[in-house]
């Protein structure tokens, strides 16, 4: 059984319970998926960032049996390209197709906005192989995404560099819809 995925309306940004649930799901997924990349105590997101994402009209929420189990965020980069980020599934629901459903709905949203390309970034360490990142890279490749380039961490997220526990870079993926 997959999940129901909905685009959250801007008014939901004021629902503190929902925002807190989204933050918890995203941070739990990233804590495991990026273990060893960040200093202790780092979290991927916070309530302010998620409330702003909802308000912008790009936050997707996946539910199953009335329980929040995943999230993703779509935002325009230019007239043709949208960024797909924060793709997260609650760790207790991994392997149930929720991530794939989130990506599929995100791609449909991008198409509905008359954009033709989806971009996403995957953070990877430069000095060792992170098993979760290798699985993620293979998964996105199976979904039709291709690495178009690599970018130094500082080019995209310079303000977060002091929180890294190991040198990293971003793999930039594209998929033409």
């Amino acid at each position: 059984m997959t999940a129901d995925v909905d685009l959250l309306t801007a008014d939901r940004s004021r629902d503190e319970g929902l925002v807190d649930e989204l933050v918890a799901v995203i941070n739990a997924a990233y804590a495991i998926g990026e273990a060893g990349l960040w200093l202790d105590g780092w979290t991927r997101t916070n309530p302010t960032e998620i409330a702003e994402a909802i308000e912008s009209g790009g936050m997707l929420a996946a539910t199953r049996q009335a329980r929040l189990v995943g999230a993703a965020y779509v935002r325009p980069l230019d007239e043709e390209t949208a960024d797909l980020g924060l793709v997260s599934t609650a760790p207790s629901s991994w392997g149930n197709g929720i991530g794939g459903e989130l990506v599929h709905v995100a791609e449909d949203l991008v198409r509905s906005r008359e954009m033709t390309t989806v971009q996403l970034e995957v953070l990877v360490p430069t000095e060792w192989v992170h098993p979760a990142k290798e699985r993620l890279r293979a998964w996105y490749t199976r979904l039709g995404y291709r690495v178009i380039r690599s970018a130094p961490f500082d080019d995209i997220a310079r303000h977060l560099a002091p929180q890294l526990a190991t040198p990293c870079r971003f793999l930039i993926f594209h998929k033409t819809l």
Side-chain angles (χ1 to χ4, degrees), residues 1-163:
M1 170 172 59
T2 59
D4 293 319
V5 179
D6 296 303
L7 178 63
L8 298 175
T9 56
D11 63 307
R12 302 291 305 273
S13 67
R14 295 183 296 280
D15 182 339
E16 291 180 17
L18 173 63
V19 169
D20 289 345
E21 278 186 83
L22 287 163
V23 168
V25 166
I26 294 165
N27 284 340
Y30 274 83
I32 295 168
E34 293 191 339
L37 301 184
W38 299 96
L39 297 176
D40 290 341
W42 177 86
T43 56
R44 172 58 185 87
T45 194
N46 60 62
T48 300
E49 182 179 32
I50 296 306
E52 289 172 359
I54 296 169
E55 198 164 305
S56 77
M59 181 60 71
L60 299 169
T63 56
R64 187 158 69 183
Q65 299 174 347
R67 197 185 73 169
L68 183 72
V69 292
Y73 178 51
V74 176
R75 67 181 179 90
L77 293 175
D78 58 40
E79 288 185 14
E80 296 179 5
T81 308
D83 181 63
L84 173 58
L86 299 177
V87 178
S88 305
T89 300
S92 62
S93 295
W94 284 0
N96 290 314
I98 295 164
E101 187 66 21
L102 282 160
V103 171
H104 175 75
V105 172
E107 290 171 355
D108 285 347
L109 177 62
V110 171
R111 281 186 198 94
S112 76
R113 293 178 175 175
E114 300 181 0
M115 300 169 123
T116 59
T117 304
V118 178
Q119 175 176 300
L120 59 90
E121 299 88 29
V122 175
L123 182 67
V124 296
T126 59
E127 298 175 351
W128 51 284
V129 175
H130 194 293
K133 295 299 184 168
E134 287 301 304
R135 283 191 303 274
L136 191 59
R137 180 182 184 155
W139 182 70
Y140 279 122
T141 299
R142 286 192 306 275
L143 292 176
Y145 288 82
R146 299 291 174 253
V147 175
I148 60 159
R149 66 184 171 91
S150 174
F153 182 86
D154 286 350
D155 285 2
I156 295 176
R158 179 182 316 277
H159 65 288
L160 295 175
Q163 298 177 51

